[in-house]
């Protein structure tokens, strides 16, 4: 099957829109016609990392309609509307415990995992494309997925809104609902109001009596956070954040969510916690945060890493869609759609803070 795809041939150059050939699904594969694909920071990090094999096909927040399934696929049928997410083996100890994001084979399956026989799924002018990103590579008109990363959703689901549930929205919402689980009268601080942080904000607001303060440098995102229900939104460059947050939270936050991946921000998040507070860390940065162990021990504070919201996608994505349908989780306010051929404009708007979650739509095959 021939379709178009946004390929990366140079990690420092714009994406190229090219014609590619997608193979027929094998016995364990699912061919999905991609209707929408969110752009996630992880796509950009992986593109910038470079690779000895080019071109690379990214995209891991795909959503679409099932075109065909292999003979061994169960639970997914042609015509189903689906959201694609990350892969997991289902057999290791973590998978058996429901901690799918920590699957022992996660790296092998999600970081451009190849078919067992090494035959290409996608080619361009006869050359194999490096694909299989999160088991989907959804920056194309069609993607080959598997049952473990394919979530069937209701037939009337707006796929442009649902697509980011495969990663970004799932991560932020899950960090709050599954990991932090703030109780009534909790005081949550969200560091970073990108797609993950905003989803965390919206998830917190579905809980009774939770106040949320957002720390974000982009003025437009701060304004949107307040519109969506944040008690306050602070510019991190405005002064002593720990002191300002202590004042806003009545002496210290009960919970914090750090989406930035910056060690100095994590240090601020820990210092902003009150006694017994907890911070969930989802940003994949690098470095050592300057945290005083005495503050951790004497304050009874905890720092918890979190991947993909510690979610079981087949259960959590439908739950978030139910909240959205009920008007309690307005993720549509975070999404702006772009034709897939305008991926460059989408990236520019995201970089400038003009859009929280750009989503590519398929306007042509």
């Amino acid at each position: 099957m021939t379709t178009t795809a946004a390929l990366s041939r140079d990690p420092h150059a714009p994406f190229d829109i090219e014609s590619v050939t997608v193979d027929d699904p094998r016995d364990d594969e699912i061919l999905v016609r991609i209707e929408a694909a969110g752009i996630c920071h992880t796509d950009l990090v992986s593109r910038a990392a470079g690779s000895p094999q080019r071109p690379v096909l990214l995209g891991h927040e795909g959503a679409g309609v099932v075109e065909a399934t292999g003979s061994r696929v169960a639970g997914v049928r042609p015509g189903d509307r689906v959201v694609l997410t990350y892969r997991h083996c289902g057999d290791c100890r973590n998978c058996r415990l429901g901690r799918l994001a920590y699957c022992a084979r996660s790296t092998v399956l999600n970081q451009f995992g190849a078919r067992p026989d090494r035959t290409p799924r996608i080619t361009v002018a006869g050359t194999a494309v490096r694909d299989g990103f999160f088991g989907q590579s959804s920056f194309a008109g069609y993607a080959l997925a598997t049952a473990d990363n394919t979530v069937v959703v209701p037939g009337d689901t707006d796929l442009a809104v649902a697509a980011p549930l495969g990663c970004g929205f799932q991560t932020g919402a899950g960090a709050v609902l599954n990991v932090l689980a703030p109780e009534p009268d909790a005081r949550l601080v969200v560091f970073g109001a990108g797609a993950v942080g905003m989803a965390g904000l919206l998830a917190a607001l579905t809980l009774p009596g939770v106040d949320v303060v957002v720390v974000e440098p982009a003025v437009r995102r701060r304004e949107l956070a307040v519109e969506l229900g944040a008690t306050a939104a602070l510019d991190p460059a405005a002064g002593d954040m720990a002191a300002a947050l202590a004042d806003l939270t009545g002496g210290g936050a009960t919970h914090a969510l750090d989406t930035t991946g910056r060690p100095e921000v994590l240090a601020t998040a820990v210092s902003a916690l009150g006694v017994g507070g907890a911070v969930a860390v989802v940003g994949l940065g690098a470095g050592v945060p300057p945290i005083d162990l005495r503050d951790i021990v004497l304050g009874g504070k905890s720092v918890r890493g979190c991947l993909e919201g510690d979610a079981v996608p087949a259960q959590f994505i439908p739950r978030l869609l139910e909240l959205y349908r009920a008007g309690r989780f307005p993720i549509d306010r975070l999404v702006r759609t772009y034709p897939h051929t305008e991926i460059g404009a989408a990236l520019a708007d995201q970089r400038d803070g003009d859009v929280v979650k750009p989503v590519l739509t398929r306007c042509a095959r």
Side-chain angles (χ1 to χ4, degrees), residues 4 32-40 43 58-66 81-85 136-143 153 157-167 169 335-341 343 357-365:
T4 54
V32 179
R33 185 178 76 248
I34 298 296
E35 298 294 334
I39 299 176
C40 181
D43 293 309
L58 298 160
H60 66 286
E61 291 182 345
V65 179
V66 175
R81 293 169 82 79
V82 296
V83 171
L84 303 181
T85 184
Q136 53 180 285
S137 285
S138 49
F139 284 172
Y142 291 85
V153 297
T157 298
D158 184 338
L159 294 176
V161 173
L165 291 173
C167 184
F169 291 171
V335 168
R336 184 185 299 174
T337 60
Y338 298 78
H340 73 284
T341 53
I343 186 172
K357 172 57 73 172
V359 174
L360 305 177
T361 58
R362 309 301 300 186
C363 296
R365 296 295 167 202

Side-chain angles (χ1 to χ4, degrees), residues 260-329:
T260 69
R262 298 170 62 111
E264 68 275 16
V265 174
L266 176 56
T268 300
V270 171
S271 66
L273 293 173
V275 173
V279 55
V281 185
V282 301
L284 292 175
V288 180
I291 296 174
D292 189 337
L293 287 179
R294 292 169 298 180
D295 186 28
I296 295 285
V297 176
L298 297 176
K301 301 177 180 181
S302 60
V303 178
R304 163 70 191 279
C306 173
L307 286 176
E308 296 290 350
D310 275 27
V312 176
Q315 300 170 8
F316 195 56
I317 289 175
R319 175 185 171 190
L320 294 179
L321 282 173
E322 288 178 4
L323 289 170
Y324 168 67
R325 288 170 178 274
R328 299 176 57 202
F329 188 57

Side-chain angles (χ1 to χ4, degrees), residues 134 145 186 226:
F134 280 63
V226 173

Side-chain angles (χ1 to χ4, degrees), residues 86-266:
Y86 65 92
R87 292 204 62 193
H88 62 281
C89 75
D91 295 324
C92 71
R93 182 175 186 273
N94 280 336
C95 283
R96 293 195 304 271
L97 291 173
R99 306 190 74 220
L100 309 186
Y102 308 96
C103 171
R105 300 190 64 226
S106 178
T107 299
V108 172
L109 293 173
N110 290 293
Q111 295 301 310
F112 305 101
R115 283 171 163 165
D117 64 1
R118 315 303 293 183
T119 57
R121 284 174 292 240
I122 299 178
T123 57
V124 55
T127 299
V129 171
R130 190 175 191 228
D131 73 319
F133 192 53
F134 280 63
Q136 53 180 285
S137 285
S138 49
F139 284 172
Y142 291 85
L144 286 167
T146 47
D148 62 288
N149 72 327
T150 302
V151 179
V152 178
V153 297
D156 59 351
T157 298
D158 184 338
L159 294 176
V161 173
L165 291 173
C167 184
F169 291 171
Q170 174 174 240
T171 295
V176 171
L177 298 179
N178 299 332
V179 176
L180 294 175
E183 66 283 346
D185 300 323
R187 303 175 302 278
L188 169 69
V189 180
V190 175
F191 291 86
V196 175
M198 286 290 200
L201 162 66
L202 293 178
L205 296 176
T206 68
L207 301 172
V210 177
D211 287 331
V212 187
V213 176
V214 168
V215 180
E216 163 61 41
V219 62
R220 286 179 290 274
R221 292 182 178 180
R222 293 201 301 272
E223 292 170 350
L224 178 58
V226 173
E227 289 177 21
L228 292 173
T231 301
L234 306 180
D235 182 349
D240 186 342
M241 276 299 101
L245 290 169
D247 182 58
L248 279 170
T249 58
T254 59
H255 304 83
L257 171 62
D258 176 22
T259 72
T260 69
R262 298 170 62 111
E264 68 275 16
V265 174
L266 176 56

